[in-house]
Amino acid sequence: MITKSQVKYIQSLGQKKFRDEEAVFIAEGPKIINELLGALPAALIVLYATSNWAEEHAALLKNIPLSKLNEVKETELERLSFLPSPNQVLGLFQKPPPLPSQHFTANISLMLDGIQDPGNMGTIIRIADWFGIDRVICSTDCADAFAPKTVQSSMGSIVRVPLLYTDLLQFVKENTGLKLYAASLNGKKINEMEKLKEGVIVIGNESKGIRKELLDLCTERVTIPGSGRAESLNAAVATGILLSHLVPLPGSLS
Amino acid sequence: MITKSQVKYIQSLGQKKFRDEEAVFIAEGPKIINELLGALPAALIVLYATSNWAEEHAALLKNIPLSKLNEVKETELERLSFLPSPNQVLGLFQKPPPLPSQHFTANISLMLDGIQDPGNMGTIIRIADWFGIDRVICSTDCADAFAPKTVQSSMGSIVRVPLLYTDLLQFVKENTGLKLYAASLNGKKINEMEKLKEGVIVIGNESKGIRKELLDLCTERVTIPGSGRAESLNAAVATGILLSHLVPLPGSLS
C-alpha cells in the first residue's frame, strides 16, 4: 500500500534540491537494490517492493526491520518509478556524508570538471570503484551523483566511492603539492607512461574538456593515442582507459 | 516547409523495419551533421535545417544540391525530432552497404554478442573508430546500429566503421582459423599481454556476457584486472579498455 503523500514525496526526490535537503536518494530495480542492501543495509529508509520480489529475496530481507518494507502492486510501483519500465523494487536510502575538502591524503583520485550527463557520471563512478580509486572530486556543476539515472548507471558503486562536490580551483589551491594529470587530446601518450604512485586524474566536460583555469594548474597532460579517425572518445570511456593504464593494481602499491 | 507525409515518413524511420526497407538512417544536431556531410556528402538524401543553421553553414552546404536542403522552422523540426530537445538540423542519409560475410581478411576486428543498449552500441562504434578497428561484427540480436540513438552516440563514427550483422556462430565456423579473444571476468590479465597482431575481440551482452556456444569457440579469455569492488564494468567502457591495451597503434603493425 502506498499513500498519495508518499507518491508525492518520492516524486519530489527527482529534484536535486529536495534530495539535498532530505539527504536521501532513490535506487530502483533488483540488481542495484541487492547491491545496496548488501553493502549498506543501515542506510535503507524504506523499500517499496512487489510481493513476488519480497518472497524471492527473503534471505536478503532477513535483517531489514519489517517496518521498512512496504509491499506494493506493480501499478503502484509505476506511479513511483523514474525508470522507463518499473522494476519490482524501489528503495529510499540515506546519502553517505560528503568527504571533507581538507585533509586530503596522497593516493590516486579522480577529478571531474563539469561532467554533464548523469549516465556518464554514474558510469565513471562505477569505473572508479572497479579500479579502487580513493575518491572522486567533482566540480559543483557536475551532474548530481545521486540523481536516479546516475545511481542506476553506477550499479551500486555510488555507495562505495567517496565523493566530494567542491570548487575545484579552490580545492587545488588549498591542497598544495597535488600532482594533476589532465586528460587531453595533446599530451603524453599513456602507453608510454609508468603507472602513477599518487596523483589526481582530471577529466573534463563532454564537449568542452577541462576549463582553462584548471588545466593551467595541471602538472601534466595525458592522451589516449588512437587512429586519428574519431574526433574524441566518450568521457566515461576515456576515464576507463586512463585509469586502466595509470592506476597500479591493488597490492602492487608499496 | 515540411509536409504531413514527410513527417509521417521520418517518424516511420524510428522503426528498424522501415529503416531496413528504405536503407535510410536519421542523424540530428550540428555536430553529427557536420561530421556526416564532411565524411559522406554523397549519402545525403535530404536535410531539414533552420535558416539560422543553414546560413551559418554555407561553406559546408556549398557542395550540397539545393534540392536536398529543406529549410524548416524550429517548431517543424520538433515534430520530426527523435531527440529530447531538437537541435537545428536533421538529415536523412543512405545506409552504407553491409560488409560481405565471407572474404574476411586478417587484422583486428571487434565482435559484439547481444549488445542491447543503443547508447552502448553507438559508443562502441565510436571507440572502434578511435582505435582504427577494421570492422565490427554484430550478432543479429544487437541493437540496430542505425537507430537514431545509436547514430547519435556514435558521433558520426557510424559511417566510418564497416559493420556486419550476422549469425556469429556460423560466421566463426565459416571463417576458420580466426583467433577470438573473449572479454571475460576470469581470463588472462590484459596488462600481462602483448599487443595483438591479428584477431577478433569479442564483447558480450551487458548482463549475460558472451553466450556459451560462442565462448566455447574462443581462443582465449581476457580480463581487465580491478580492485575487486565493483562487480563489472559497462560494456562500452570495457571495450575501450580492451582495445587500448590490445590494439597496436596505427603504423606500428608491420
Side-chain angles (χ1 to χ4, degrees), chain B residues 234-247:
Chain B
N234 164 281
V237 172
T239 305
I241 295 174
L242 288 172
L243 297 191
S244 81
H245 284 267
L246 299 178
V247 178

Side-chain angles (χ1 to χ4, degrees), chain A residues 136-199:
Chain A
V136 181
I137 307 146
C138 310
S139 64
T140 51
D141 61 349
C142 277
D144 181 28
F146 292 95
K149 204 179 159 187
T150 313
V151 172
Q152 217 64 31
S153 60
S154 89
M155 297 293 283
S157 292
I158 190 77
V159 298
R160 279 189 299 263
V161 177
L163 288 169
L164 169 70
Y165 280 76
T166 189
D167 181 315
L168 298 184
L169 295 177
Q170 202 177 323
F171 181 89
V172 172
K173 284 171 189 163
E174 282 174 6
N175 293 278
T176 48
L178 287 181
K179 286 184 188 155
L180 297 161
Y181 298 88
S184 150
L185 290 171
N186 46 29
K188 191 163 179 183
K189 291 180 182 169
I190 50 167
N191 53 316
E192 293 168 3
M193 290 176 68
E194 299 283 312
K195 302 256 182 206
L196 303 179
K197 287 205 172 57
E198 60 165 341

Side-chain angles (χ1 to χ4, degrees), chain A residues 96-118:
Chain A
L99 281 176
S101 71
Q102 279 128 28
H103 308 298
F104 180 83
T105 56
N107 213 322
I108 298 184
S109 306
L110 195 58
M111 182 175 276
L112 306 179
D113 184 25
I115 294 290
Q116 289 300 297
D117 181 77

Side-chain angles (χ1 to χ4, degrees), chain B residues 58-119:
Chain B
L60 186 69
L61 295 173
K62 214 176 47 187
N63 299 318
I64 305 293
L66 260 183
S67 60
K68 291 188 175 183
L69 178 63
N70 203 333
E71 287 196 15
V72 293
K73 295 188 194 124
E74 291 203 12
T75 50
E76 290 176 313
L77 205 55
E78 271 170 35
R79 292 169 62 205
L80 302 181
S81 178
F82 290 85
L83 294 179
S85 39
N87 201 348
Q88 300 179 65
V89 56
L90 177 151
L92 304 192
F93 293 83
Q94 277 162 3
K95 276 168 67 166
L99 280 177
S101 70
Q102 279 129 26
H103 308 299
F104 180 82
T105 56
N107 213 321
I108 298 183
S109 307
L110 195 57
M111 181 174 276
L112 306 179
D113 184 24
I115 293 291
Q116 289 299 296
D117 181 77

Side-chain angles (χ1 to χ4, degrees), chain A residues 178-228:
Chain A
L178 287 181
K179 286 184 188 155
L180 297 161
Y181 298 88
S184 150
L185 290 171
N186 46 29
K188 191 163 179 183
K189 291 180 182 169
I190 50 167
N191 53 316
E192 293 168 3
M193 290 176 68
E194 299 283 312
K195 302 256 182 206
L196 303 179
K197 287 205 172 57
E198 60 165 341
V200 181
I201 297 169
V202 188
I203 310 290
N205 171 271
E206 288 90 341
S207 56
K208 288 177 249 160
I210 300 168
R211 71 197 80 195
K212 190 178 174 306
E213 302 90 310
L214 181 59
L215 192 58
D216 287 345
L217 298 176
C218 290
T219 322
E220 188 154 9
R221 299 185 189 195
V222 297
T223 294
I224 301 165
S227 71

Side-chain angles (χ1 to χ4, degrees), chain B:
Chain B
M1 250 296 288
I2 182 154
T3 65
K4 266 191 192 171
S5 68
Q6 285 172 322
V7 174
K8 210 171 155 187
Y9 176 72
I10 291 169
Q11 284 171 344
S12 77
L13 294 173
Q15 292 174 52
K16 180 176 187 313
K17 188 182 153 216
F18 290 107
R19 283 195 300 275
D20 287 351
E21 276 174 22
E22 299 285 314
V24 164
F25 72 95
I26 294 170
E28 289 191 67
K31 187 148 186 174
I32 193 162
I33 294 289
N34 283 359
E35 283 252 5
L36 292 181
L37 290 184
L40 201 76
L44 177 69
I45 297 167
V46 59
L47 210 58
Y48 298 92
T50 61
S51 51
N52 269 351
W53 185 87
E55 270 171 40
E56 284 168 20
H57 294 81
L60 186 69
L61 295 173
K62 214 176 47 187
N63 299 318
I64 305 293
L66 260 183
S67 60
K68 291 188 175 183
L69 178 63
N70 203 333
E71 287 196 15
V72 293
K73 295 188 194 124
E74 291 203 12
T75 50
E76 290 176 313
L77 205 55
E78 271 170 35
R79 292 169 62 205
L80 302 181
S81 178
F82 290 85
L83 294 179
S85 39
N87 201 348
Q88 300 179 65
V89 56
L90 177 151
L92 304 192
F93 293 83
Q94 277 162 3
K95 276 168 67 166
L99 280 177
S101 70
Q102 279 129 26
H103 308 299
F104 180 82
T105 56
N107 213 321
I108 298 183
S109 307
L110 195 57
M111 181 174 276
L112 306 179
D113 184 24
I115 293 291
Q116 289 299 296
D117 181 77
N120 279 343
M121 194 73 192
T123 306
I124 289 174
I125 292 166
R126 185 174 169 195
I127 294 166
D129 194 19
W130 180 269
F131 288 106
I133 289 295
D134 233 37
R135 68 197 69 199
V136 180
I137 307 147
C138 310
S139 64
T140 51
D141 60 350
C142 278
D144 182 28
F146 292 94
K149 203 179 160 187
T150 313
V151 172
Q152 217 63 30
S153 59
S154 90
M155 297 293 282
S157 292
I158 190 78
V159 298
R160 279 190 298 263
V161 177
L163 288 170
L164 169 69
Y165 280 76
T166 189
D167 180 315
L168 298 184
L169 294 177
Q170 203 178 326
F171 182 88
V172 173
K173 284 170 188 161
E174 281 173 8
N175 292 279
T176 50
L178 288 181
K179 285 184 190 157
L180 297 159
Y181 298 88
S184 149
L185 290 171
N186 46 31
K188 191 163 177 181
K189 290 178 181 168
I190 51 167
N191 53 317
E192 295 168 2
M193 290 175 68
E194 299 284 312
K195 302 256 183 206
L196 303 179
K197 288 207 170 58
E198 60 165 343
V200 182
I201 296 169
V202 188
I203 309 290
N205 169 271
E206 287 91 340
S207 56
K208 289 177 250 163
I210 300 169
R211 69 197 82 195
K212 191 180 173 303
E213 302 90 310
L214 181 60
L215 191 58
D216 287 345
L217 298 175
C218 290
T219 322
E220 189 154 7
R221 299 185 189 193
V222 296
T223 295
I224 301 165
S227 72
R229 289 195 314 202
E231 201 188 276
S232 66
L233 284 164
N234 164 281
V237 172
T239 305
I241 295 174
L242 288 172
L243 297 191
S244 81
H245 284 267
L246 299 178
V247 178
L249 293 174
S252 67
L253 262 182
S254 56

